[in-house]
Amino acid sequence: MATAGLGSGDFSDLREIKKQLLSSSVSLQEDARDLDAYTLAKSYFDLKEYDRAAYFLRGCKSQKAYFLYMYSRYLSGEKKKDDETVDSLGPLEKGQVKNEALRELRVELSKKHKAQELDGFGLYLYGVVLRKLDLVKEAIDVFVEAAHVLPLHWGAWLELCNLITDKEMLKFLSLPDTWMKEFFLAHIYTELQLIEEALQKYQSLIDAGFSKSTYIISQIAVAYHNIRDIDKALSIFNELRKQDPYRIENMDTFSNLLYVRSMKPELSYLAHNLCEIDKYRVETCCVIGNYYSLRSQHEKAALYFQRALKLNPRYLGAWTLMGHEYMEMKNTSAAIQAYRHAIEVNKRDYRAWYGLGQTYEILKMPFYCLYYYRRAHQLRPNDSRMLVALGECYEKLNQLVESKKCYWRAYAVGDVEKMALVKLAKLHEQLNESEQAAQCYIKYIQDIYSCSELVEHVEVSTAFRYLAQYYFKCKLWDEASACAQQCCAFNDTREEGKALLRQILQLRNQGETLSTDIAAPVFLPASLSATNTPTRRVSPLDLSSVTP
């Protein structure tokens, strides 16, 4: 029965929301006629003896008992499928293992659905069965119906969230006008990488009175994690740990951030702390796995991710992380299998698609790479890593125009690894487009030297070497000399830099004059200039031809 009262976005009366939640829990009390059978079956269910629970619920008439009867049968089928998956040998066999109970459950639930005899929980289970049978459209309709009938059942909203692939799809859903819809929208925006919209929703929920909700705080941290604002995400997770020190949920995401920052002491402390709280939780196993991975103990890391999957075979993060570990161990077939499992759990996991692309890249199968990197890019259109990977694929396939577009786009969206311009420059070099190559190297060096911390970057010497030679050919001795001097600071270009400086000095002594005919791009920040002589400035080169 639908909950009346406050509509979507209406949080004016938090007491009414609390009242709805309490009345909902009271309404779940069991019907007296099936109480004995239900209580016995629930005990067996809690012990994961699903067939036994279903046996004692046969013939029960109450809605709650019927749901537990059908749900026990469903979980029994899932358990048997998981057991067979563990026992099977190859990846082909694993893909063929099915829950044999699904079709039978669908027939029975379909009859009840047509007769309008399913309550909110029954509809939820029917939707899960349809999803498992890959009947996505029918599943979405049933989950929407479940949300209308029982708006406070978060499970139905989450299942619906897993089936929505883009914002357009969301617009056509007829969702119930309830305050729970706001929580759902915030969650789905996070999943769809619409982080700005998600953060706005969560902020509005905080302003409405949910400022102490650790769920919302953790979701905000996850949102910042998704856009790789690592410092902000770490700050929020640290604050969350102070407010809720025994929390385990989302701590695996926190450990991912510590891993990226190579914060070994903090990750070690987190792993030990979670072990003390509950060492048999999936998240705890993933945190320990990340700890061993950071210490380059990849076999141990993979072992803990496997433990996590024994606890919950549908835990997305563990499949993806295990794929990464197999990649580190150069076990490509096992990595592919792990990533494919991750995609089975959630087709929106860009890390699994990206991981598959990397695996096929190692196997030198560029067409496969291209497919998987494209899927990753569709999920993360503004992630420079996906664009650089795509660019490299196109380059290997000799589709150089597409490659240029990808590298330039990667630079335009904010190149995380600061490699897009170098790759674009090398592509221009390959095509003998010297001015464009020089312009890209200039932009690259400006980016590197404009960082708040001067990072050591492997391609800086390459850029200076190219620019030194380029300016030398253009007879721009001051600029060539400045770049050659920078070459002397790097081991791999030191000798070339010294040789070029000797050549420039020799030519100057012979009276060679500065060229005034060649419009070469010049940047030379004061800190890099060989002299204090002002350099001639030219307008930037037109890169519109490679802009998508």
Side-chain angles (χ1 to χ4, degrees):
M1 190 174 183
T3 306
L6 301 177
S8 176
D10 183 3
F11 297 96
S12 55
D13 190 350
L14 291 179
R15 288 184 179 179
E16 178 60 29
I17 290 173
K18 186 175 180 181
K19 185 179 173 185
Q20 287 179 17
L21 290 167
L22 289 171
S23 64
S24 178
S25 63
V26 170
S27 69
L28 295 177
Q29 298 301 318
E30 180 50 32
D31 205 322
R33 56 188 162 156
D34 292 327
L35 185 59
D36 291 346
Y38 176 84
T39 305
L40 177 63
K42 183 66 168 62
S43 300
Y44 293 141
F45 182 89
D46 292 340
L47 293 169
K48 298 186 179 180
E49 297 185 32
Y50 301 122
D51 288 330
R52 202 175 180 191
Y55 178 81
F56 285 101
L57 286 167
R58 292 170 308 150
C60 289
K61 302 297 181 187
S62 68
Q63 291 275 25
K64 194 174 179 185
Y66 178 73
F67 167 73
L68 190 62
Y69 168 64
M70 296 300 279
Y71 195 43
S72 296
R73 289 171 61 191
Y74 164 74
L75 287 178
S76 171
E78 285 293 290
K79 188 172 183 293
K80 286 167 186 170
K81 183 192 80 169
D82 292 340
D83 291 344
E84 281 185 49
T85 300
V86 170
D87 294 339
S88 66
L89 299 173
L92 289 175
E93 286 182 355
K94 284 179 187 289
Q96 291 166 357
V97 178
K98 303 289 182 187
N99 181 344
E100 298 297 335
L102 290 176
R103 297 190 184 282
E104 196 176 324
L105 288 171
R106 183 197 169 196
V107 170
E108 292 181 40
L109 287 166
S110 177
K111 288 177 184 175
K112 287 272 189 180
H113 184 236
K114 285 174 184 172
Q116 296 186 329
E117 293 176 2
L118 292 177
D119 64 355
F121 291 109
L123 288 165
Y124 161 76
L125 179 57
Y126 185 33
V128 169
V129 169
L130 291 170
R131 175 179 63 76
K132 284 279 188 176
L133 291 168
D134 292 324
L135 300 168
V136 175
K137 187 179 180 301
E138 294 92 329
I140 289 172
D141 292 340
V142 171
F143 284 129
V144 169
E145 188 181 346
H148 277 277
V149 173
L150 192 62
L152 300 186
H153 182 208
W154 185 234
W157 291 101
L158 284 179
E159 286 288 347
L160 186 58
C161 182
N162 289 333
L163 298 175
I164 306 300
T165 54
D166 54 53
K167 199 174 181 180
E168 283 301 308
M169 198 173 173
L170 194 59
K171 288 178 184 175
F172 294 103
L173 294 183
S174 175
L175 298 170
D177 185 32
T178 166
W179 55 270
M180 278 291 280
K181 180 182 172 184
E182 298 303 303
F183 281 87
F184 165 73
L185 289 174
H187 188 87
I188 187 67
Y189 287 154
T190 306
E191 290 291 305
L192 294 175
Q193 307 299 325
L194 302 168
I195 303 301
E196 192 175 330
E197 291 96 322
L199 290 173
Q200 286 173 359
K201 284 285 181 190
Y202 284 126
Q203 189 56 52
S204 68
L205 289 168
I206 286 171
D207 295 341
F210 291 97
S211 58
K212 293 182 180 178
S213 168
T214 53
Y215 163 76
I216 290 176
I217 294 168
S218 69
Q219 285 298 105
I220 291 170
V222 169
Y224 280 115
H225 164 270
N226 287 357
I227 55 170
R228 295 182 67 80
D229 189 340
I230 296 172
D231 292 333
K232 185 77 173 172
L234 280 171
S235 172
I236 296 170
F237 269 122
N238 282 320
E239 187 57 38
L240 179 64
R241 293 266 294 161
K242 289 176 187 173
Q243 292 184 30
D244 193 358
Y246 293 95
R247 181 188 183 90
I248 293 181
E249 193 179 359
N250 299 120
M251 288 301 110
D252 51 335
T253 305
F254 182 32
S255 76
N256 291 342
L257 294 163
L258 297 173
Y259 179 93
V260 169
R261 278 280 188 262
S262 298
M263 299 168 75
K264 280 186 185 177
E266 291 84 352
L267 188 50
S268 173
Y269 175 77
L270 180 65
H272 281 94
N273 183 235
L274 294 184
C275 260
E276 287 174 5
I277 298 169
D278 188 348
K279 64 181 177 182
Y280 295 112
R281 279 282 291 269
V282 177
E283 295 90 341
T284 304
C285 292
C286 287
V287 171
I288 298 169
N290 271 339
Y291 170 68
Y292 281 120
S293 181
L294 189 56
R295 293 184 57 174
S296 299
Q297 294 177 253
H298 300 296
E299 290 83 359
K300 267 194 172 181
L303 179 66
Y304 274 95
F305 295 135
Q306 286 170 351
R307 284 186 186 179
L309 290 165
K310 282 180 182 176
L311 292 168
N312 182 358
R314 290 190 58 78
Y315 197 73
L316 172 66
W319 282 117
T320 308
L321 291 169
M322 193 159 72
H324 296 343
E325 294 311 307
Y326 284 133
M327 283 281 283
E328 292 288 345
M329 292 187 278
K330 304 207 169 16
N331 187 344
T332 49
S333 60
I336 288 170
Q337 191 173 306
Y339 289 136
R340 288 194 189 283
H341 272 294
I343 289 165
E344 280 177 27
V345 174
N346 185 354
K347 288 183 171 61
R348 285 200 304 267
D349 182 24
Y350 78 92
R351 297 169 305 169
W353 291 108
Y354 184 66
L356 281 169
Q358 288 181 309
T359 310
Y360 282 107
E361 194 172 348
I362 290 169
L363 296 172
K364 293 183 169 53
M365 300 170 75
F367 284 104
Y368 281 84
C369 281
L370 190 60
Y371 171 75
Y372 292 116
Y373 282 144
R374 273 178 177 165
R375 293 297 298 262
H377 170 58
Q378 286 166 4
L379 293 165
R380 299 272 290 191
N382 293 321
D383 193 322
S384 63
R385 295 167 303 164
M386 315 297 140
L387 286 158
V388 168
L390 268 178
E392 289 172 339
C393 257
Y394 282 124
E395 198 173 338
K396 285 170 186 169
L397 294 167
N398 209 33
Q399 297 182 33
L400 302 185
V401 173
E402 293 300 319
S403 184
K404 285 181 184 178
K405 287 180 181 179
C406 289
Y407 290 145
W408 182 251
R409 174 72 179 152
Y411 169 69
V413 299
D415 185 13
V416 174
E417 293 170 340
K418 299 199 180 298
M419 285 301 295
L421 283 174
V422 173
K423 291 183 180 295
L424 184 56
K426 288 181 177 178
L427 205 53
H428 285 306
E429 274 190 74
Q430 190 182 323
L431 297 168
N432 294 317
E433 296 167 353
S434 56
E435 287 190 17
Q436 287 94 329
Q439 187 68 66
C440 289
Y441 278 129
I442 287 168
K443 285 179 180 290
Y444 166 69
I445 289 173
Q446 286 172 335
D447 277 3
I448 295 296
Y449 279 84
S450 66
C451 290
S452 55
E453 297 177 14
L454 187 58
V455 293
E456 286 187 22
H457 216 260
V458 70
E459 297 289 355
V460 172
S461 59
T462 306
F464 278 121
R465 175 170 53 198
Y466 181 85
L467 288 171
Q469 292 167 348
Y470 176 75
Y471 288 133
F472 182 79
K473 287 174 188 173
C474 296
K475 297 185 179 180
L476 292 168
W477 311 130
D478 288 347
E479 292 81 358
S481 180
C483 291
Q485 284 188 354
Q486 289 299 318
C487 288
C488 294
F490 302 94
N491 291 332
D492 59 330
T493 55
R494 183 172 294 126
E495 294 307 316
E496 288 175 79
K498 287 178 180 177
L500 200 57
L501 284 170
R502 284 194 295 270
Q503 280 183 277
I504 292 167
L505 183 60
Q506 188 180 354
L507 289 168
R508 276 179 163 162
N509 290 339
Q510 290 172 2
E512 283 274 359
T513 56
L514 178 80
S515 171
T516 57
D517 299 326
I518 303 170
V522 180
F523 73 102
L524 290 177
S527 60
L528 302 181
S529 183
T531 70
N532 291 325
T533 309
T535 55
R536 182 163 49 81
R537 296 282 173 177
V538 294
S539 57
L541 291 173
D542 180 15
L543 289 172
S544 59
S545 61
V546 297
T547 305

